[in-house]
Amino acid sequence: MSAAFAPSPISILDTDLYKLTMQQAVLHHFPDVQATYRFTNRDKSRLFSRQCIERFRTAVSQFTDLSLTTEEQVWLRTTCPYFTPAYLSFLSAYRYKPEQVRITFVPVSADGLLGNVEIEAFGPWVDTILWEVPLMASLSESYFHSVMTDWNYDSQEQTAYDKGCALIKAGCAFSDFGTRRRRSYHAHDLVVKSLVRASRDIPGRGRLTGTSNAHLAHKYGLTPVGTIAHEWFMGVAALKGYKNTHCVSLDLWETVYPDSILIALTDTFSTDAFFKDFTSDPARVHRWTGLRQDSGDPFAFGPRVKVMYESLGIDPRQKLLVYSDALDVDKAIRLQKQADELGLEKVSFGIGTFLTNDFKTVSSGGTEKSKALNMVIKLSSVNDRPCIKISDDLTKNTGDKATVEHVKQLYNLIPVAA
């Protein structure tokens, strides 16, 4: 770990693009809505040290120093024409408010030095929406410089380069989606730099399409990639109701982005529920550029999407299909092979943790994996109304149980096993 410890973001753009696109949509439709976000550590066996959380707390206190630079504003205006002057003006004036974040260390060891952490962000939705990604990235970096330190950066550039080469040679169009759970900013920077080098060195049908990280896209001259995330559907449903909620969410999005970034995420309330709503308006299916798969069986998704488009008289070759759930090189290559067999011509892969947090322990001589944190920060409520998620992975359902049951009954979903 020769790189300096820097858990706070380098730039206000050191976040995923879809946080900015959703922030603009929230500013347009819900500027006065109050929101709460909550952290979940999915691996209860992974404990944090008191030192780790104090480092994390210090980093969060420094977020207030960030602001959009003039150069970054010019770059956003040029590169992302879907951002309006009003939104860019808002973002230029935006400042993180650390008082919106509550961090609580809960000791469990006898000496009080190891424990769990509770994190909550609360305030106007248009403000708090930007906390999720940098909070997770900063916590991860704090953890791997304070608790799990049996690793180093040796061979990281070559490893990322080899992954990029393999994907390009296999004909995969792919992008970096690794900001939230990266090992560190330095690791992320090494990865993106190496992928850029691979894309320059290796000819072929495959290509690096960009990165979800707006700052690194700016730094390396890449396309910033991203549209919409689960929280948009979760928040809109809680505010507007769950009946035909996908239609309402997509329509509201389309009023902000009528001509661009129309790639719908399918699994907020299960893919079954999404397709039921989505296909109710064939004209909408025609207008939207494509779909993103983020949970469930990806190998069942491609064939299902093809059948759906063809049933509506739409050529599936003209629609984009983005895979983004727990991808590695092997899975992406196998999915690309399936897409080729299905005749799906516009397929892309958003690869996250496998790129930016793929390390081995030094003590094992590089034979054992140094596992990334398995964590999320989700929208918990809007205007005191609970927000839920019912994905195609039953282990990822989150939120108020009564609301989950209501939505399952509304869409005739199979009850979740206890």
Side-chain angles (χ1 to χ4, degrees), residues 272-294:
D272 286 344
F274 173 83
F275 278 121
K276 180 178 179 180
D277 283 355
F278 190 54
T279 57
S280 67
D281 184 354
R284 182 190 296 110
V285 182
H286 276 272
R287 291 193 307 272
W288 278 68
T289 305
L291 304 172
R292 178 161 73 92
Q293 188 268 348
D294 197 51

Side-chain angles (χ1 to χ4, degrees), residues 12 23 60 62-69 88-100 126-128 130-131:
I12 199 170
Q23 186 182 46
V60 171
Q62 297 169 349
F63 277 45
T64 187
D65 298 333
L66 295 176
S67 62
L68 189 71
T69 68
L88 292 178
S89 178
F90 171 87
L91 188 60
S92 294
Y94 179 89
R95 299 294 184 273
Y96 281 105
K97 300 179 179 66
E99 62 270 21
Q100 293 175 338
V126 74
D127 285 350
T128 53
L130 288 195
W131 275 115

Side-chain angles (χ1 to χ4, degrees), residues 148-191:
M148 174 38 191
T149 59
D150 184 18
W151 60 276
N152 60 38
Y153 290 106
D154 293 355
S155 77
Q156 277 299 302
E157 288 187 74
Q158 187 62 45
T159 297
Y161 178 81
D162 291 343
K163 291 174 181 178
C165 291
L167 289 163
I168 293 168
K169 289 176 181 178
C172 297
F174 67 99
S175 56
D176 153 53
F177 273 22
T179 304
R180 294 184 302 158
R181 297 185 183 92
R182 68 192 183 194
R183 182 134 310 197
S184 67
Y185 171 82
H186 181 62
H188 198 177
D189 187 63
L190 289 178
V191 165

Side-chain angles (χ1 to χ4, degrees), residues 309-374:
Y309 280 129
E310 289 179 338
S311 71
L312 298 175
I314 298 172
D315 185 352
R317 295 175 299 177
Q318 303 305 312
K319 295 296 185 180
L320 178 63
L321 178 54
V322 181
Y323 292 96
S324 62
D325 179 34
L327 295 177
D328 56 24
V329 167
D330 177 68
K331 186 185 290 187
I333 291 175
R334 288 188 291 121
L335 285 167
Q336 181 63 57
K337 183 176 183 294
Q338 182 196 57
D340 291 340
E341 293 169 350
L342 291 170
L344 301 175
E345 298 180 359
K346 296 183 177 182
V347 174
S348 183
F349 304 93
I351 306 177
T353 306
F354 179 72
L355 290 177
T356 62
N357 206 330
D358 184 22
F359 287 79
K360 307 291 188 189
T361 60
V362 174
S363 62
S364 71
T367 61
E368 295 181 2
K369 192 172 182 64
S370 173
K371 294 182 180 179
L373 290 171
N374 187 2

Side-chain angles (χ1 to χ4, degrees), residues 33-302:
V33 167
Q34 299 294 303
T36 301
Y37 291 78
R38 288 196 174 93
F39 168 82
T40 299
N41 178 16
R42 288 174 171 162
D43 184 353
K44 302 304 181 184
S45 68
R46 304 289 286 272
L47 298 177
F48 300 90
S49 69
R50 187 179 293 274
Q51 178 194 37
C52 168
I53 300 308
E54 287 308 313
R55 285 186 170 190
F56 173 59
R57 199 189 307 274
T58 298
V60 171
S61 72
Q62 297 169 349
F63 277 45
T64 187
D65 298 333
L66 295 176
S67 62
L68 189 71
T69 68
T70 300
E71 181 184 1
E72 289 170 335
Q73 184 180 26
V74 170
W75 177 78
L76 280 175
R77 186 168 62 246
T78 303
T79 309
C80 307
Y82 41 81
F83 287 136
T84 66
Y87 173 66
L88 292 178
S89 178
F90 171 87
L91 188 60
S92 294
Y94 179 89
R95 299 294 184 273
Y96 281 105
K97 300 179 179 66
E99 62 270 21
Q100 293 175 338
V101 180
R102 183 183 297 117
I103 302 167
T104 306
F105 177 69
V106 183
V108 297
S109 64
D111 59 8
L113 297 181
L114 291 176
N116 300 308
V117 63
E118 298 173 355
I119 305 169
E120 184 178 83
F122 50 91
W125 192 9
V126 74
D127 285 350
T128 53
I129 195 168
L130 288 195
W131 275 115
E132 175 198 352
V133 173
L135 282 176
M136 290 179 66
S138 293
L139 180 61
S140 181
E141 184 156 355
S142 296
Y143 177 83
F144 285 106
H145 281 80
S146 301
V147 181
M148 174 38 191
T149 59
D150 184 18
W151 60 276
N152 60 38
Y153 290 106
D154 293 355
S155 77
Q156 277 299 302
E157 288 187 74
Q158 187 62 45
T159 297
Y161 178 81
D162 291 343
K163 291 174 181 178
C165 291
L167 289 163
I168 293 168
K169 289 176 181 178
C172 297
F174 67 99
S175 56
D176 153 53
F177 273 22
T179 304
R180 294 184 302 158
R181 297 185 183 92
R182 68 192 183 194
R183 182 134 310 197
S184 67
Y185 171 82
H186 181 62
H188 198 177
D189 187 63
L190 289 178
V191 165
V192 173
K193 180 171 66 174
S194 300
L195 295 178
V196 169
R197 182 162 62 92
S199 70
R200 292 171 178 167
D201 290 351
I202 306 299
R205 179 166 64 103
R207 68 194 188 281
L208 174 64
T209 58
T211 171
S212 65
N213 187 286
H215 161 68
L216 292 174
H218 181 208
K219 180 176 179 178
Y220 288 104
L222 297 173
T223 300
V225 178
T227 57
I228 189 170
H230 297 110
E231 70 178 278
W232 176 253
F233 296 93
M234 294 166 67
V236 170
L239 292 167
K240 299 289 187 179
Y242 288 91
K243 186 176 182 180
N244 301 318
T245 185
H246 301 95
C247 301
V248 175
S249 297
L250 296 175
D251 288 347
L252 290 174
W253 186 265
E254 205 170 342
T255 63
V256 181
Y257 302 103
D259 303 311
S260 60
I261 57 174
L262 298 178
I263 301 172
L265 182 60
T266 62
D267 69 327
T268 307
F269 306 116
S270 83
T271 297
D272 286 344
F274 173 83
F275 278 121
K276 180 178 179 180
D277 283 355
F278 190 54
T279 57
S280 67
D281 184 354
R284 182 190 296 110
V285 182
H286 276 272
R287 291 193 307 272
W288 278 68
T289 305
L291 304 172
R292 178 161 73 92
Q293 188 268 348
D294 197 51
S295 69
D297 181 359
F299 293 95
F301 192 76

